[in-house]
Amino acid sequence: MNPVYLRYELLRTFRNRRYVLFAILIPVALYFATAGPSRGESDLAGTGISAPLYFMVGLAAFGGMNAVVSIGGRIAAERSVGWTRQLRLTPLSTRGYFRAKVATAYALALVTLGVLYFSGSTLGVRLPAGEWLRMTGLILIGLVPFVALGIFLGHILTAESTGPAIGGITALFALLGGTWFPIQNGVMHDIAEALPSYWLVQASHVSLGGPGWTGLGWFVVAAWTVALGALAARAYRRDTQRI
Amino acid sequence: MASLDSVETFVRTQREQIDASVEARGLVKTYRSGARIVRAVDGVDVSIARGETVALLGPNGAGKSTTIDLLLGLLEPDAGEASLFGGPPQEAVAAGRIGSMLQTGSLIRDLDVQELVEMMASVYPHPLCVEDTLRQARIEELADRRTQTLSGGETQRVRFALALVSDPDLLVLDEPTVGMDVEARRAFWTTMRQGAAHGRTVLFATHYMDEADTYADRAILMAHGKVVAAAPTTEIKGLVGTRTIRATLSDADDADLGALEGVLQMERHGDVVVLNCSDSDRAIRALLDHYPEARDIEIASAGLEDAFVLLTSDGNGAS
Ligand SMILES: Nc1ncnc2c1ncn2[C@@H]1O[C@H](COP(=O)(O)OP(=O)(O)OP(=O)(O)O)[C@@H](O)[C@H]1O
Ligand SMILES: [Mg+2]
């Protein structure tokens, strides 16, 4: 990893104040809007999880998804000014380019998580340190397929279309994954279980003392990672023309 | 015998590879736009020796930028092959030997100019230091500016700095001076000269004939995806074959002037006559023999621009 390159990539991401503020403030505002009114609920819809914790993880899933998928918007913007083509004429490897992009995506996701955890604690979320860590670990792993999704979208969309596409796709994943209300049975549950966003939200189950994810969860996340990763790699390879 | 021949061939190809920095044979690239197929590059050969400065000329849509994309390995040719320094373009790129400025392109935002230069320097194996790069591109005064606040010409100069930062063996520049003011252009070419003096190979596309005329050892003229001429600029001018004699000469018969030995045609602008000559040496002798009173005589060779227009006009390169 090239530390100078990574440092400037991070620096310029966090210098874009509007980008960072929206990435953090929107999930936080949504968190207080949903968890605030039901803050006294200690067992949300029979899940065994308190409302502040459930929505904290739900919005961490949403905010994290937004943060990592939005690297697609940044990639599309760089493509539209010809920067990506210019980078291909340097020794910077594909891997190096994406490492820096993924690192910035995760940096932003981590800041979002931190702010949401703090917000959660103001609404009374208390967990042992080990559970905070395991929960965070699951969320970070659950975000991997969304990183691939972001890269894929960034290489097939134009800069103007990334806004609605990325916003819409993450909103849909969040809704079907249970960010806004627990999905516990029926067809919706069968669909949800096949989505990586469902398992992001399920990270809150570590507070129940279990492993958090079942084997199915690991399988779903891995399968989406492989599929989206292949699509992203293909999109990147094909994307050498002027646009 | 056969083995000796093959050794000779081997040595010769090795030599060619050592001496050539850019080598391409039979490049073809077609684009499909709707039902129409555009042959953007249609059988182009390019060979550039180390240390040469070569201008790529041609009207809009001639295929210059597409040729550059093919040479740099950004596009795969439909047919033919391109190599840089005797290997695949990607290899030379990965080794950090290429500096480039593509025609379409801007900078990424939210960094100072010096930060951006340092960021890009970090990806090369043997970069120049940031100060040297800024000095060579003459943009020291832009060092602290955020990239998104730069003017068009300033952006272009920073892009030039990014092409220089690797201290490349080969510079490929697509219309590098577009948008630069007179002083910036002059500074740009001064830097290019210094680079060339250190053995750097340069390929640049341009629409400014004076740049090609002044700075290039050789020009490649393209039209309709084909190379219509590739020769030293002086020779290209010679291809058009004519020189003009201009003189002040009030009382002379136009028909007599046009009939002078070596003169193809004449024009008169008031007292000034302009003779287009096939052989200006004989024409000037004939003129002075017959009209010793002719004054203010100038003999000029046809400019590169004339050659350009003649060689690239429709019907000349079109198949
Ligand atoms: N992606 C594309 N799809 C379809 N046609 C294309 C594409 N890219 C280039 N062309 C066409 O190929 C031809 C050559 O284009 P190119 O950009 O190489 O020309 P150029 O010589 O660089 O012109 P200019 O002086 O305007 O920069 C043009 O007719 C152009 O319209
Ligand atoms: Mg061009």
Side-chain angles (χ1 to χ4, degrees), chain B residues 13 19 81 133 137 161 187 198 214 218 221 231 241 252 260 276 301 305:
Chain B
T13 37
D19 289 334
E81 189 173 35
T133 312
H198 288 93
T214 316
R218 218 148 54 80
L221 233 69
L260 285 176
N276 263 316
S301 59
E305 203 156 314

Side-chain angles (χ1 to χ4, degrees), chain A residues 2 8 12 15 81 86 240, chain B residues 74 100 105-106 115 118 122:
Chain A
N2 177 336
Y8 283 124
R12 73 183 203 87
R15 268 188 189 157
V81 298
Q86 194 69 58
T240 61
Chain B
L74 276 176
S100 64
S106 184
E115 291 172 340
E118 194 185 338
S122 78

Side-chain angles (χ1 to χ4, degrees), chain A residues 242, chain B residues 60-61 63-66 68 103 174-175 205 207:
Chain A
R242 282 177 261 170
Chain B
N60 291 140
K64 303 181 295 297
S65 300
T66 307
I68 285 176
Q103 182 173 17
D174 199 347
E175 302 191 27
H207 289 293

Side-chain angles (χ1 to χ4, degrees), chain A residues 171-195:
Chain A
L172 198 63
F173 266 115
L175 179 74
L176 296 178
T179 288
W180 308 110
F181 48 85
I183 298 169
Q184 306 199 71
N185 38 44
V187 184
M188 289 302 285
H189 181 254
D190 295 340
I191 295 173
E193 272 193 328
L195 299 177

Side-chain angles (χ1 to χ4, degrees), chain B residues 244-250 257 266-275 284 287-288 291 293-299:
Chain B
T244 54
I245 298 175
R246 186 184 269 274
T248 306
L249 186 57
S250 42
L257 278 172
M266 74 82 60
E267 286 168 51
R268 178 182 282 283
H269 308 285
D271 281 352
V272 177
V273 295
V274 179
L275 308 176
I284 188 71
L287 177 72
L288 290 175
Y291 305 99
E293 71 277 21
R295 291 175 292 120
D296 305 330
I297 297 171
E298 288 173 22
I299 304 179

